[in-house]
Amino acid sequence: MIAYLLRGFTTIFGKNVFALKLADSIVTWLSVWAFYTFAKRFLSRQKAGRGLILLLSTFMITILSLVSTPDVPLILCWTVTLLFLQKAVFDSRKIYWILAGMMTGLCFDSKYTAVFLIIGLTGFLLISDQYRKYLFSRWFLAYLFCGAVLILPVVVWNVPNGFWSFKA
């Protein structure tokens, strides 16, 4: 994901440091916006604001806005995935299952730890009496399918390379 992101920005803004730093900064600020939007779904505006201040005070966000690492797109995709899953599960908005699946796939393209989103969601649905119905729905399958389609670049690269990125 970081390679695609940087390629897009350098294609538009030229191959220079400005383009690289702009990519990191924009994606990090989108992550901050997604975090605040997600926090407001569960917290009051004041508490979400406090959470935002706490997030912004961490070195992680500062570093990510300056350095291109796989974590830059991962945090954005992860946060947006949680936002979409919240709308899919708690608000019963079906289209968000597909959008969450797409974002989960992009998370996995950033870092393989995104598999924990799927594990966490499955675990939550298993233990929840109210939401277990989604585990056996076509929407959950659509979520998994969309995620699987978007991880194809990882699979396509790894097959001829002996799954090297999973060994490293």
Side-chain angles (χ1 to χ4, degrees):
M1 273 303 290
I2 192 66
Y4 291 136
L5 177 69
L6 296 178
R7 176 64 184 256
F9 272 81
T10 55
T11 299
I12 295 169
F13 298 104
K15 293 182 181 180
N16 54 58
V17 175
F18 172 76
L20 300 176
K21 299 304 176 193
L22 184 64
D24 297 332
S25 296
I26 288 176
V27 173
T28 300
W29 283 107
L30 287 172
S31 300
V32 168
W33 171 80
F35 172 84
Y36 182 68
T37 302
F38 183 62
K40 286 192 310 184
R41 303 281 298 173
F42 294 96
L43 304 170
S44 69
R45 188 179 218 74
Q46 182 181 12
K47 287 181 181 179
R50 287 183 194 159
L52 183 63
I53 291 168
L54 185 61
L55 176 69
L56 290 171
S57 69
T58 64
F59 285 118
M60 185 173 154
I61 292 299
T62 303
I63 290 169
L64 289 180
S65 67
L66 300 171
V67 180
S68 298
T69 69
D71 297 303
V72 173
L74 173 72
I75 289 179
L76 175 61
C77 294
W78 193 292
T79 308
V80 173
T81 298
L82 291 177
L83 183 61
F84 288 166
L85 284 173
Q86 190 277 329
K87 290 181 180 187
V89 174
F90 297 109
D91 296 346
S92 297
R93 298 184 63 192
K94 308 299 186 218
I95 189 68
Y96 284 98
W97 283 104
I98 293 169
L99 296 173
M102 293 167 60
M103 293 308 294
T104 300
L106 294 175
C107 273
F108 191 84
D109 291 341
S110 298
K111 266 188 158 175
Y112 303 150
T113 54
V115 72
F116 291 111
L117 279 168
I118 300 167
I119 293 168
L121 174 63
T122 304
F124 170 75
L125 294 177
L126 275 172
I127 64 171
S128 171
D129 291 334
Q130 184 177 359
Y131 300 110
R132 189 175 302 125
K133 62 185 176 191
Y134 289 123
L135 190 59
F136 307 104
S137 73
R138 64 183 172 167
W139 295 106
F140 183 71
L141 290 175
Y143 164 80
L144 293 174
F145 177 77
C146 290
V149 167
L150 283 170
I151 68 165
L152 283 176
V154 171
V155 175
V156 167
W157 184 88
N158 274 286
V159 167
N161 292 292
F163 289 90
W164 185 85
S165 68
F166 290 97
K167 295 175 187 174

